Amino acid sequence: MKISQEQVFERAKQASLWAGNLIEGHLGHQHKLENRTPIDNSLIGYIEDGDAEDIDAAVLVARNTFNQGTWRDLSPQERKIVMLKWAELISKHSEELAALDCIDAGKPISECLNTDLPATVETFYWYAEAIDKLFGKIAPTSQQELGLIIHEPIGVVGAVLPWNFPAQMFAWKVAPALAVGNSVIVKPAELTSLSAFRLVELAYEAGVPKGALSLVCGLGEKVGEALGRHHDVDVVSFTGSTDVGRLFLKYSAESNLKEIVLECGGKSPQVVFEDADIDAAIPHILAAAFWNMSENCSCGSRLIVHEKVKQSLLTQLVTALKDWKVGDPRLADVAIGPMVEQAHFEKVRSFLDITIKEGGRLVAGGNIHHDIGSGWYIEPTIFDDVTSQMSLFKHEVFGPILAVTSFKTDDEAIALANDTQYGLAASFYSQNIHRALHVARCINAGTVSVNGFSEGNITTPFGGFRQSGFGGKDNGLEAFEQYTQTKVIWFIHQ
Ligand code: NAD
C-alpha cells in the first residue's frame, strides 16, 4: 500500500489528535499534556494527564461490568461477533491508524501501513475467531466422580503499553484479554496514545460495552503506578523496559499480589556461521538490526560472526545499508525515521561516543542528521571489534547501532550469544541442519529463528526468558493463559 506525504497529513488531520480518557460515565478533566511529534518536534495535539482518581473510576466501572456479566456472560459466539465487527472497523480505518502511529512515534509510514496495521487487524480477527474454539477438559475419574477443568476470565485486566508499536501492542494485549470476557483498562505510553484512543472509539462503535474497555492516558509514574498498585486489579500485562517491569513486581507485592505478566527488553544475538548463505542472510540481518529504527524489543543488536566470513559479510552489509534511507517517516521510501523523543535520542547518541572510547571500530553510519526535522535522526550504524566487555554489547540501546563481534568455534559463538541478562529472541545462519538443531537448543531465548529474522506470527507464542520477562506469553493460544484462571469443578455421585 502506498500513501503520499500529503495523504499522511490529511489522514492524521481527519483523525482526532486528542487522546483523552475513555471511562464510562466519566467526563475527562482539563489537565492536558502536550503531544509533540518526533518528526519535527512540533505540537500536534494533547493527551489527557490522567491520575490515580481516573484509575479508581476506571477500575470501579470495570469491576461492576465484570460482576454484572454484561460482557463476560455473553456466549463466546456473541463476543466473537462484536470482536469481528471491531476487526473490520480497524481494517477500514487502517490508513488513519497508520498515519497516527507514524506522526506520534516517528515510525516509517511504509512500516505502519504494510506491517503494523495488517498485523494489528490480523490479531483482532485471529482472537475473535479463536474464542469459540476453546475447550476445557474432563479429568480421568472413577464412575462416581466428574472433574471439570475450566478456564474462566480473571476479572479486571490492566494493559500497560510501550511506544514502539502502539497499535500492534494494543492488539496483542487487548484482543485476547477482552475476547475471553475480562474487563480491560488500557494505559498507552504517554508518547503514543493516539492510535489507542481511536482503537477504543472503534471498539465502542463495534458494540464492546463501554464498561468492559476503558482507556486512561497519562504519565507512567501517575497512571501506570496507580494501576499497578490498585487493590481491585487482578492482572497487569506489561510491555516495556525491564526497569519499569521490575517496578510492577514491586507494586504488586506492596498491594494485592495481582498477577504480573512482563514482556521486557532484549539484547538479541544474530550468529553467522562460516557455512551460512551470506547473500540470502544480508536483508534479514539488516532488518533484524535496524527495522523500526531498532526501537524494537527483539532487535538483533549483536552480530556474532565467524572470523573467516566477517570481512566479506561486513562489506556486503555496508553496501546494502545504503538503501536504508534516513528521513521524514511520512515519505514512502524512508526506512529510518527519528528517535521517539529527545531524551531517548540523547541516550542512543551517547552510545556512539562510548563505543568509540571503549575501542569499537566504526564501519558504517555514525552521523546525526541535524538537518532533518527535529534533528533526532541517527544513521544506521555498525561498529566492529566490539568485545563482550563493552557497553554496546551489554546494554539495550533501542536505537540503530549494531555491535559486531567475531568468533572461532561453535562453543564460543553460543557462549557469546548467551552472554546477556536478556533472552527474548535470537537468529542464526547456517546451512548445516545438525548445527542448526544443536545451536537452536543451546540458545537461551524465547524465539530462535534459523536462516532469517522472525518473531514468529500470530499463531506462535512470543515472550522472553530471563530479564526479558515472564509470567505469560503474547500471541498464540498461549496468550489466553495470561487472561484466564483455571478452575476445577468436582462432582461426587452420591
Ligand atoms: P517504558 O518501560 O518506559 O514504558 C512502558 C509503559 O510503562 C508506558 O506505558 C509507561 O507510561 C509506563 N511506565 C513508565 N514508568 C512507569 C512507572 N514508574 N510506573 C508505572 N508505569 C510506568 O518502556 P518504553 O520506553 O515505552 O518501551 C521500550 C521498552 O519496551 C524497551 O525496553 C523494549 O525492549 C520493551 N518492549 C518489549 C516488548 C516485548 O514484547 N518483550 C515489545 C515492545 C517493547
Side-chain angles (χ1 to χ4, degrees), residues 176-198:
L178 202 62
V180 289
N182 293 292
S183 293
V184 181
I185 298 166
V186 183
K187 190 272 176 239
E190 50 269 44
L191 295 174
T192 55
S193 304
L194 298 179
S195 59
F197 182 77
R198 286 297 289 137

Side-chain angles (χ1 to χ4, degrees), residues 159-165 169 172-173 187-192 218-226 228 238-245 247-248 251 262-266 295-298 340-341 344 396 398 422 424 462-464 468-469 474:
V160 181
L161 309 179
W163 45 257
N164 57 345
F165 290 85
M169 291 300 108
W172 281 18
K173 305 242 178 262
K187 190 272 176 239
E190 50 269 44
L191 295 174
T192 55
L219 300 172
E221 51 273 33
K222 280 164 80 176
V223 175
E225 177 162 355
F238 168 82
T239 293
S241 61
T242 297
D243 285 346
V244 177
L247 287 178
F248 273 94
Y251 301 154
L262 298 180
E263 296 290 353
C264 298
E295 291 172 340
N296 176 21
C297 56
S298 61
V340 74
E341 62 168 344
H344 184 57
E396 185 185 44
F398 229 54
Y422 299 110
L424 188 57
F462 181 76
S468 288
D474 286 328

Side-chain angles (χ1 to χ4, degrees), residues 274-295:
E274 73 272 30
D275 63 353
D277 178 343
I278 303 276
D279 290 347
I282 297 290
H284 286 274
I285 293 172
L286 291 179
F290 298 120
W291 171 42
N292 202 47
M293 292 77 74
S294 316
E295 291 172 340

Side-chain angles (χ1 to χ4, degrees), residues 132-146:
D132 59 354
K133 295 156 195 84
L134 294 175
F135 291 83
K137 287 194 259 185
I138 296 177
T141 59
S142 72
Q143 295 292 331
Q144 277 70 45
E145 297 145 327
L146 175 63

Side-chain angles (χ1 to χ4, degrees), residues 272-274 276-287 290 303 305 308-324 363-364 382 402 404:
V272 181
F273 291 93
E274 73 272 30
D277 178 343
I278 303 276
D279 290 347
I282 297 290
H284 286 274
I285 293 172
L286 291 179
F290 298 120
L303 183 60
V305 194
K308 276 193 196 154
V309 294
K310 188 179 82 173
Q311 200 43 56
S312 63
L313 176 73
L314 280 180
T315 307
Q316 287 195 57
L317 284 179
V318 173
T319 307
L321 201 51
K322 295 196 174 106
D323 293 337
W324 285 63
V363 293
I382 303 177
L402 176 65
V404 180

Side-chain angles (χ1 to χ4, degrees), residues 22-247:
L22 294 168
I23 307 167
E24 188 186 31
H26 287 260
L27 294 174
H29 47 63
Q30 291 308 307
H31 304 292
K32 290 174 183 168
L33 299 168
E34 283 191 349
N35 188 16
R36 292 180 176 276
T37 172
I39 297 174
D40 56 9
N41 198 27
S42 62
L43 188 66
I44 52 166
Y46 295 88
I47 67 161
E48 197 150 330
D49 184 11
D51 57 23
E53 279 179 27
D54 297 312
I55 288 294
D56 285 345
V59 174
L60 190 64
V61 165
R63 176 61 62 194
N64 287 341
T65 303
F66 189 74
N67 288 348
Q68 287 156 9
T70 321
W71 175 248
R72 179 191 61 176
D73 291 349
L74 295 182
S75 70
Q77 290 80 3
E78 287 169 318
R79 273 186 266 120
K80 169 174 146 174
I81 288 167
V82 176
M83 298 287 296
L84 285 175
K85 190 157 176 225
W86 190 13
E88 208 179 303
L89 283 170
I90 296 166
S91 177
K92 205 171 121 198
H93 288 265
S94 276
E95 280 195 4
E96 170 199 331
L97 290 159
L100 289 180
D101 276 0
C102 170
I103 60 168
D104 220 8
K107 293 169 68 77
I109 187 66
S110 54
E111 287 293 337
C112 298
L113 283 170
N114 301 320
T115 308
D116 294 35
L117 261 299
T120 301
V121 170
E122 184 188 23
T123 302
F124 277 97
Y125 274 118
W126 199 82
Y127 284 109
E129 284 293 353
I131 47 178
D132 59 354
K133 295 156 195 84
L134 294 175
F135 291 83
K137 287 194 259 185
I138 296 177
T141 59
S142 72
Q143 295 292 331
Q144 277 70 45
E145 297 145 327
L146 175 63
L148 303 182
I149 303 164
I150 63 167
H151 305 289
E152 295 184 335
I154 293 188
V156 177
V157 173
V160 181
L161 309 179
W163 45 257
N164 57 345
F165 290 85
Q168 204 177 336
M169 291 300 108
F170 180 110
W172 281 18
K173 305 242 178 262
V174 179
L178 202 62
V180 289
N182 293 292
S183 293
V184 181
I185 298 166
V186 183
K187 190 272 176 239
E190 50 269 44
L191 295 174
T192 55
S193 304
L194 298 179
S195 59
F197 182 77
R198 286 297 289 137
L199 285 164
V200 175
E201 285 187 328
L202 295 174
Y204 297 160
E205 198 178 324
V208 173
K210 290 192 172 170
L213 180 64
S214 304
L215 180 81
V216 186
C217 298
L219 300 172
E221 51 273 33
K222 280 164 80 176
V223 175
E225 177 162 355
L227 195 57
R229 288 191 181 279
H230 203 288
H231 281 265
D232 205 20
V233 171
D234 298 298
V235 50
V236 166
S237 183
F238 168 82
T239 293
S241 61
T242 297
D243 285 346
V244 177
R246 214 182 289 281
L247 287 178

